[in-house]
Amino acid sequence: MAIIIERGDEVWVVRHDRPEARNAMDPQSADDLVAAFEAFEKSDAKIAVLTGTEREFCAGWDLKYAASLTPDERKDLSDYDFPMGSAPAPRGSLGPTRMELSKPVIAAIEGPAVAGGMELAMWCDIRVMGENAYFGVFCRRWGIPLTDGGAVRLPRLVGEGKALEIALTGRKVSADESYGIGLCERVTEDGKALETALEMASQIARFPQQAMLADRRSIYETHGLTVREALKVEWANGLAALRNEGFDGAGEFSDGAGRHGDFGNI
């Protein structure tokens, strides 16, 4: 199987391992990746790290597979259509890009994360890139649009103008530039992206989880709302965490823990 899961008590590593195709996503890999994150969502693990091989994160949708489709298969893409009502969204061509998880995922990126691979990275909450890793809407060359959330998530991360420039030109976006424009959150030495992502995941897993997850929901759910409506959502999301964790945490601080921004003594 091309999808390998390393199940820790608190942190899972989900690895796409298809180096013969530069980690391009074929239907079986996409299905298996969805199954992996469905299992993660149901598990007691607190956070997942999505990664690829040591040389490539994901080269996008498997274009050799796409080119092999018959004329009838090319016309009938209804399996990807969104259903009516509140039914769950079908998987995207890259797998989990339409899933809305309740727990965070960090992308650990080495080498190319291009076309659909860039979309898959943007689905994650946080991106850690090796210094020679890169993004790019390389599918621009072949007439393939962004259908796995790229046109939605890219402007939310970098702003509309920069998103248009990156998407319309299809150019390569280096790790350093990605960090500068907010397309990734950490750049590390080549070969260290997974290690750095795991260190970050372990830190997040240490915190009181209810409050952390409430803040995560609020960041996503308040996008596009007026300030007043957003404040209502933030309050509703945080209230249970404040009652269940916050007051006890305040007591720990009062007793001497975590003074002067100390994250070790918590």
Side-chain angles (χ1 to χ4, degrees):
M1 292 179 63
I3 304 302
I4 301 169
I5 307 173
E6 300 170 20
R7 294 174 170 86
D9 291 338
E10 295 188 328
V11 179
W12 280 22
V13 175
V14 179
R15 184 189 301 275
H16 184 207
D17 187 21
R18 197 172 176 239
E20 72 279 4
R22 302 198 77 191
N23 273 7
M25 193 69 67
D26 65 337
Q28 186 62 58
S29 296
D31 285 339
D32 291 345
L33 197 57
V34 168
F37 280 107
E38 287 175 340
F40 164 69
E41 180 76 357
K42 295 173 183 177
S43 76
D44 293 330
K46 297 175 180 177
I47 185 166
V49 175
L50 173 61
T51 193
T53 65
E54 294 179 356
R55 292 191 173 185
E56 48 260 319
F57 180 76
C58 178
W61 192 31
D62 188 333
L63 298 188
K64 291 182 179 179
Y65 159 76
S68 72
L69 295 177
T70 66
D72 286 343
E73 288 172 328
R74 296 180 186 193
K75 289 180 181 179
D76 183 13
L77 299 174
S78 58
D79 285 347
Y80 297 100
D81 288 344
F82 281 85
M84 298 293 290
S86 58
R91 75 158 173 82
S93 56
L94 270 289
T97 51
R98 295 175 176 180
M99 295 178 73
E100 297 179 52
L101 301 184
S102 66
K103 300 182 286 189
V105 179
I106 300 174
I109 302 163
E110 301 284 358
V114 295
M118 180 177 175
E119 295 183 282
L120 187 60
M122 289 191 293
W123 169 74
C124 299
D125 297 85
I126 299 169
R127 286 147 294 280
V128 177
M129 300 180 74
E131 58 189 353
N132 285 313
Y134 56 92
F135 291 125
V137 185
F138 284 13
C139 53
R140 180 59 57 237
R141 299 170 294 171
W142 313 121
I144 298 173
L146 297 170
T147 59
D148 275 80
V152 176
R153 295 184 176 108
L154 185 58
R156 296 187 182 193
L157 289 169
V158 305
E160 186 175 279
K162 180 57 68 176
L164 285 164
E165 186 264 332
I166 290 171
L168 300 188
T169 65
R171 66 175 178 85
K172 180 178 179 180
V173 184
S174 70
D176 283 342
E177 182 183 358
S178 296
Y179 180 77
I181 62 177
L183 190 50
C184 81
E185 288 66 50
R186 191 76 60 84
V187 176
T188 188
E189 296 178 37
D190 282 338
K192 298 288 188 180
L194 178 57
E195 178 182 327
T196 301
L198 286 171
E199 290 172 356
M200 187 185 298
S202 296
Q203 179 185 10
I204 293 171
R206 290 178 59 230
F207 296 139
Q209 293 294 292
Q210 195 169 355
M212 182 275 292
L213 293 174
D215 288 346
R216 177 181 180 270
R217 287 196 306 275
S218 293
I219 289 169
Y220 282 126
E221 292 175 1
T222 59
H223 187 87
L225 299 181
T226 65
V227 171
R228 183 177 181 84
E229 293 304 313
L231 288 171
K232 292 179 183 178
V233 172
E234 182 188 53
W235 174 249
N237 281 337
L239 187 56
L242 179 62
R243 288 171 172 159
N244 296 335
E245 294 177 344
F247 292 117
D248 288 341
E252 292 178 25
F253 175 80
S254 181
D255 290 338
R259 295 300 175 87
H260 308 295
D262 180 7
F263 275 60
N265 181 23
I266 59 173

